[in-house]
Amino acid sequence: MASITGSSAAFSAAEPPTILYIGQHETQRTEPVNANLLRRAQSVGYDILTAPVTTSNFQSRVLALLQAHVDVNAAPTADSVAFPIISPLTPEDSDLVPEDSNSSLIAVTSPWIDIGSTDPLIAHISQQIFSLEIAYAAFCGISNILVHGPISAQGTVRFARSVLKALGLGPYVQIHILLPMTGELEQDISADGTHLAELARPQFCPEDDVDDDVGPEVYGSWETWNTIRTMCLYSTKLSVALEVPRIMPTLDLQSRWYSEPVRLLLLPRTTFLRNSKGYPVLSKQHQQFATLLLRLRFPPWALLGDIGQIPSGEADDAEPTPAEAMAAAREPPEDTTKHLQYLRHLQQSQPSRPPIERFGQGYQDYMQSPLQPLTDNLESITYEVFEKDPVKYEWYERAVALALEDLRTKLGDGKDIVVAVAGAGRGPLVTRILQASRKTGVSVKVYAVEKNPNAHVLLQRRNAIDSLWAGQVTVVKSDMRTWLGPATTDGEVGKVDILVSELLGSFADNELSPECLDGVQHVLHPDHGINIPQSYSAHLTPLATPRLHSDLLSRTSSDISMSVSEKWELPYVVMLHQYDYLSTIPATLEETRTPDVQQAWAFSHPAPPSLLAHASNRAGGTTDAGNPMGGDGTNEHNARSCNLRFTCTNRGVCHGLAGYFETVLYSSPNARTDHRPQTVELSTNPVTMADKSKDMISWFPIFFSLKTPMYVPDGAEMEVSMWRQTDDRKVWYEWLVEVYVQIAGGKRMKVGMSDLHSSRRNGCLM
């Protein structure tokens, strides 16, 4: 089961409200941004405004200083002359002042600078301006700062270095890098004035290596962002301000940007279409992308760019002349709030979220250690959370019903079918077994085995007062592995016909279901005994999850009950939300993205008796040297390993592996005349979940992190090696990732390899 703790109120299935903060952005503002302008903006429905840090006066001063330096130092030895120093800001250089209302502003650094310039002079001037503006905005109490991305790919590293330095200029500074989804920005960021990139000296201007016939790389903008955030060490103070184009790129690229920390979504006027009535609207593709982003735990703010000035809000009391009235009738003033009204409509008309999202609201991308039910006694609230699942227990009831009918056919009507629940918890499976008995008309004798002393009390109480249970359940306080079995009327120990358990973890076996069911198999009838579940398998796929990697980077030893290095070697249960599949199955429809999720290994029950007998004979180390991992080897038959290959069409960065499971609760060998499915299955695998157990909420995926993210080139192949290890006392996982590319002759060349990660220090105790 997934590891969730907290109050039950946190898991309400109610639809959460859609939160959307909307701001207004102008590339060339004609009036100062102050408290009065902000009040006007908020009166028509805006939440925030962008504000340039400096004025055109400052730009003119810088250009004059630069021109004077170039004129004076035009000799060939000019490089030996010190670069000019920009004096501190003056009141004429900025309209910003410290005010309480500044919390509703986003400062915009000068778009005409080039801090990544290959010309040392231009870079030096630009970096001075950049530092002055960041520091002054922070001084004024503005924490959110919009910075235009690098002018060219050649300057990305120099740009990133300046951003890294700027992140330390204020304790609360949040820098948002403005980038297009692909190609170039649609808004002309230097419509007025001169851009410093145009003043770079010819000897410092490299040849552009972009083929004009081919055009910009589809993933070029993402590559730029990846370089910046990598150099800035995945800082939580750094995010993307993403400009949305008029024509949306492929779903692959949309998914990639969805996985990134997009905090601002810039929607220029050109992004919108016009409907039949002339009102601005977004295309279906834009709406779908917006819906995805609005479901994030922290949805981005929307910025409407250059859609018109904010209404003045002042009424004109003067009567118009007849000519003025006729002109106004022919050309009424444009309503500059139509785009805002449309976004508010979009906010209010969002579709309902899937049950799993409503159930896990607030837990998206929140990493937790898996449960250890063998060593820890769960709290009542933990049981209660998983009992809310609308699918799992219904499917268990169906499986039990099929098994009861099959056994009745095989054994006849002579005796009750003995059903035991191994790990009964608060009793939901017991209830489902009794309901299946009623519906099928097959009489049962039920045993509820539970080691948790607190849950044992509740089981006894429920057996006494629950009208369905009606005192017919035998409640046993015992670890399932040491339970001898059901006592018969003559004092002997009998066998169980059906053994039901819900021991599966997010990766199928990570909560020691194989070890538990091996230990209790002695009570199962050797000839016709049925395990529910009958089998289960673990599945993997590589992921890009910058959010989770950034979260782990920020965790210190005081935040977690382990050393800082161990945080990378622990599998986490997490409701994956903001991520991208790196390997997908080719599809014929653009609307379909199916991840390549491959099986790692599988278990089935009951295990062959000869296998368990061999394991038992190894106890004490009398037959062999034992398990190389440690111990006598009595649990070595439950060790597993896999080597999987994933093809990655598009470049990306792998931050870890997502793990899922599939299980066959019961597969009946007998066909039903009522056309009921003969096989009952559960799945968290995103490829099969909709068909096998849609809307199931009991399990979140598991995440195996990589200490160092792995860059994956276009068309590369990722090779994942994983082991399930045991030393007879605990079980742990080890994993490693390699990246290969194809070279001439069809050969594979390794271009990257991760560390070998191991959760041995924090393994699951048996």
Side-chain angles (χ1 to χ4, degrees), residues 19 169 190 224 242 660 739:
I19 299 174
L169 293 177
S190 56
T224 297
L242 192 64
Y660 311 94
V739 179

Side-chain angles (χ1 to χ4, degrees), residues 27 47 85 156 177 188 223 229 268 311 406 531 588 609 650 674:
T27 53
D47 302 297
I85 302 298
T156 302
I177 308 298
D188 187 356
E223 281 274 18
R229 61 97 174 275
D406 287 344
N531 263 104
T588 55
N650 301 309
D674 55 7

Side-chain angles (χ1 to χ4, degrees), residues 137-328:
F139 169 77
C140 291
I142 302 176
S143 57
N144 291 288
I145 303 175
L146 181 64
V147 177
H148 292 77
I151 303 301
S152 65
Q154 291 90 342
T156 302
V157 170
R158 289 179 289 274
F159 178 93
R161 184 175 178 273
S162 296
V163 172
L164 176 61
K165 180 181 177 181
L167 289 170
L169 293 177
Y172 306 110
V173 166
Q174 296 282 333
I175 293 181
H176 313 286
I177 308 298
L178 178 59
L179 294 168
M181 290 188 77
T182 188
E184 298 179 349
L185 291 172
E186 298 202 2
Q187 286 193 302
D188 187 356
I189 61 177
S190 56
D192 292 342
T194 302
H195 198 291
L196 292 188
E198 301 170 1
L199 304 179
R201 293 168 290 181
Q203 64 267 36
F204 296 105
C205 297
E207 295 257 342
D208 194 349
D209 58 359
V210 176
D211 189 342
D212 292 334
D213 294 333
V214 176
E217 285 192 271
V218 174
Y219 280 77
S221 185
W222 175 84
E223 281 274 18
T224 297
W225 163 247
N226 183 53
T227 300
I228 296 169
R229 61 97 174 275
T230 301
M231 287 189 63
C232 293
L233 305 176
Y234 284 78
S235 172
T236 56
K237 299 167 66 177
L238 181 69
S239 62
V240 180
L242 192 64
E243 186 195 68
V244 181
R246 185 179 185 87
I247 300 176
M248 290 294 285
T250 63
L251 282 177
D252 287 334
L253 187 55
Q254 291 181 46
S255 180
R256 178 61 49 78
W257 281 118
Y258 170 78
S259 71
E260 300 293 350
V262 177
R263 294 297 296 132
L264 297 176
L265 202 64
L266 179 59
L267 301 168
R269 175 191 289 269
T270 54
T271 303
F272 290 84
L273 306 174
R274 294 280 175 175
N275 64 12
S276 58
K277 296 183 179 180
Y279 286 93
V281 295
L282 293 174
S283 71
K284 291 294 184 182
Q285 292 78 14
H286 288 82
Q287 293 179 43
Q288 291 167 0
F289 185 63
T291 294
L292 285 176
L293 294 175
L294 289 175
R295 287 181 175 177
L296 290 173
R297 188 178 181 188
F298 302 105
W301 302 343
L303 289 180
L304 290 170
D306 291 338
I307 49 87
Q309 295 184 351
I310 296 170
S312 64
E314 298 177 358
D316 188 0
D317 295 331
E319 287 289 334
T321 64
E324 291 173 338
M326 290 180 63

